[in-house]
């Protein structure tokens, strides 16, 4: 509205600003009609981008909202102009984008287009700096999923499972010592020690999201030191950790997406070594945001942390899980998940 007033060459008094601002705040809670999902990359990543796309497809099919997906490619110098053009077109009342790399652009463009709503996943704008009353940021309680994976890993060291030695160590490979990665590490170790307080959890960073060779080297060292299961939270570096698990005849836990499915057809022997993954279910998070928006209850102007309770975090359960995890162990894990949801278990966090 402010943009329209200025474009029309009208004088904007303090009273006009206040009136326009109030109307705009009310207008931001209107039901969504047209949504665009901007990807700072392309579809086909089998992770965040594809998961968010599933959420976009669901809000189209289940809520009747008009949607469009724009693939921005991997050249970051082109993202700002592309996002600006989308906002300036006036064709969409809501823009969805994700990951921390988009946050600076959202902070800039959201201020220029206060009449458009922005939904950001896996990152948050700095509300103290930009205001951004038209932005809803989705964060994830990844520590909860990591806690469940840690508890499962520790219990498997006592379950007599083939290739998981009784009393063996566990390992975690993190990409870099940053808060979101450390949140995984802290959760995983806490979950493991909630089952076996004295269990040893080896931890090391690859110091890169894109160095499979280093990820493999670290994973191999951990298996050589007696770890039966290693949790990789290292992006593409973690692909090397997965290779190390296959070569060692041990197990690895994936992250973000169900990584066993990445290898199911091309390398089934690799898929068999990934008995679960800690999932960030971006699709459910996107749907959750639009459900809240349709009810006029979306917490615009703030960040919200979503976890097990909201269906945004989970561990993968598939045929590979069934082949490794005894049924009684899985029942125990379900109880742990329920206790996290109802608050009986307080999971430590770095955030």
């Amino acid at each position: 509205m402010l943009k329209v007033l200025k474009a029309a060459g009208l004088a904007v008094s303090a009273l006009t600003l206040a009136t326009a601002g109030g109307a705009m705040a009310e207008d931001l809670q209107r039901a969504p009609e047209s949504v665009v999902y901007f990807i700072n990359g392309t579809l086909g990543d089998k992770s965040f981008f594809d998961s968010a796309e599933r959420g976009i497809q669901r809000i189209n099919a289940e809520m009747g909202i008009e949607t469009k997906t724009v693939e921005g490619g991997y050249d970051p110098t082109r993202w700002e102009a592309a996002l600006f053009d989308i906002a300036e077109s006036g064709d969409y009342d809501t823009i969805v984008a994700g990951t921390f790399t988009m946050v600076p652009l959202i902070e800039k463009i959201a201020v220029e287009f206060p009449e458009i709503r922005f939904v950001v996943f896996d990152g948050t704008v700095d509300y103290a700096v930009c205001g951004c009353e038209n932005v809803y940021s989705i964060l994830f309680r990844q520590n909860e999923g990591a806690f469940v994976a840690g508890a499962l890993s520790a219990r498997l060291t006592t379950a007599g499972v083939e290739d998981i030695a009784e009393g063996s160590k566990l390992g975690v490979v993190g990409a870099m010592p940053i808060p979101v990665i450390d949140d995984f590490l802290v959760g995983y170790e806490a979950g493991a020690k909630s089952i076996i307080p004295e269990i040893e959890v080896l931890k090391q960073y690859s110091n890169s999201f894109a160095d499979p060779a280093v990820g493999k080297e670290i994973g191999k060292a951990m298996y050589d030191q007696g770890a039966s299961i290693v949790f990789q939270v290292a992006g593409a570096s973690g692909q090397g950790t997965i290779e190390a698990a296959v070569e060692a005849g041990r197990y690895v836990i994936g992250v973000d997406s169900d990584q066993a499915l990445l290898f199911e057809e091309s390398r089934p022997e690799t898929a068999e070594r990934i008995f679960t993954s800690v999932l960030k279910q971006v699709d459910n998070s996107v749907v959750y945001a639009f459900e809240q928006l349709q009810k006029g209850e979306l917490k615009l102007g703030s960040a919200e942390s979503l976890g097990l309770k909201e269906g945004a975090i989970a561990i993968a359960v598939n045929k590979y899980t069934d082949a490794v995890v005894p049924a009684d162990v899985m029942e125990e894990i379900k109880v742990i998940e329920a206790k996290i949801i109802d608050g009986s278990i307080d999971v430590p966090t770095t955030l």
Side-chain angles (χ1 to χ4, degrees):
M1 183 178 292
L2 296 180
K3 195 173 178 187
V4 172
L5 290 171
K6 291 175 183 176
L10 299 177
V12 185
S13 67
L15 178 60
T16 302
L17 283 171
T19 303
M24 193 177 301
E26 182 178 340
D27 194 44
L28 286 173
Q29 289 296 338
R30 69 196 184 280
E33 296 180 357
S34 55
V35 175
V36 60
Y37 167 36
F38 179 78
I39 304 174
N40 54 315
T42 63
L43 292 173
D45 72 330
K46 294 183 166 54
S47 186
F48 270 25
F49 296 149
D50 286 359
S51 182
E53 172 66 7
R54 289 193 295 273
I56 294 296
Q57 291 174 356
R58 283 174 57 192
I59 67 170
N60 174 262
E62 298 169 15
M63 303 179 192
I65 299 171
E66 179 186 341
T67 63
K68 181 178 180 178
T69 296
V70 175
E71 298 175 84
Y74 288 97
D75 180 356
T77 65
R78 303 181 65 179
W79 297 341
E80 182 175 350
L83 193 61
F84 184 90
D85 287 346
I86 289 170
E88 190 177 43
S89 74
D91 293 336
Y92 308 98
D93 56 57
T94 311
I95 296 174
V96 178
T99 75
F100 69 93
T101 56
M102 289 298 294
V103 165
L105 301 184
I106 297 295
E107 289 176 338
K108 183 177 180 180
I109 293 174
V111 173
E112 295 190 49
F113 297 92
E115 73 281 5
I116 297 176
R117 294 170 297 220
F118 292 79
V119 175
V120 185
F121 59 84
D122 206 39
T124 178
V125 299
D126 187 343
Y127 293 97
V129 173
C130 72
C132 295
E133 294 298 320
N134 54 334
V135 179
Y136 171 69
S137 301
I138 300 173
L139 298 174
F140 294 96
R141 298 195 297 274
Q142 54 271 320
N143 59 320
E144 294 180 351
F147 185 99
V148 175
L152 174 56
S153 298
R155 178 54 72 217
L156 288 176
T157 67
T158 68
V161 175
E162 186 177 359
D163 296 330
I164 301 179
E166 182 82 18
S168 63
K169 300 174 186 178
L170 303 176
V172 190
V173 180
M176 304 185 79
I178 57 177
V180 68
I181 296 296
D182 287 342
D183 208 32
F184 279 107
L185 272 62
V186 166
Y188 185 77
E189 184 170 24
K193 289 185 178 294
S194 74
I195 302 297
I196 305 175
E198 68 277 10
I199 196 166
E200 185 174 356
V201 181
L202 307 171
K203 299 181 289 292
Q204 189 170 341
Y205 299 102
S206 62
N207 291 313
S208 171
F209 283 93
D211 195 336
V214 171
K216 183 173 183 178
E217 180 182 334
I218 295 172
K220 184 178 185 303
M222 288 181 174
Y223 293 123
D224 287 345
Q225 292 174 62
S228 290
I229 301 168
V230 173
F231 178 29
Q232 71 86 5
V233 196
S237 298
Q239 297 302 308
T241 308
I242 292 172
E243 290 180 14
V246 176
E247 292 180 8
R250 307 287 176 79
Y251 288 100
V252 63
I253 295 174
V255 72
D256 291 340
S257 64
D258 188 344
Q259 294 195 307
L261 303 185
L262 300 179
F263 304 99
E264 188 169 29
E265 295 183 3
S266 61
R267 289 156 54 186
E269 71 284 355
T270 298
E272 291 169 0
R273 291 291 156 182
I274 311 171
F275 67 91
T276 191
S277 297
V278 176
L279 307 176
K280 284 187 177 180
Q281 303 194 116
V282 184
D283 53 345
N284 289 349
S285 305
V286 170
V287 172
Y288 170 84
F290 281 90
E291 287 174 343
Q292 298 304 303
L293 188 53
Q294 281 199 319
K295 293 187 290 186
E297 298 176 0
L298 187 65
K299 298 176 182 177
L300 287 161
S302 66
E304 188 170 9
S305 179
L306 307 181
L308 290 174
K309 183 177 181 179
E310 297 82 10
I313 294 291
I315 63 167
V317 178
N318 51 40
K319 65 182 181 181
Y320 305 108
T321 314
D322 295 340
V324 174
V325 182
D328 61 326
V329 172
M330 186 52 68
E331 288 304 311
E332 184 178 350
I333 294 305
K334 290 179 181 177
V335 171
I336 290 172
E337 289 177 328
K339 288 183 176 180
I340 293 173
I341 290 171
D342 70 19
S344 300
I345 294 177
D346 185 18
V347 181
T349 180
T350 59
L351 301 177

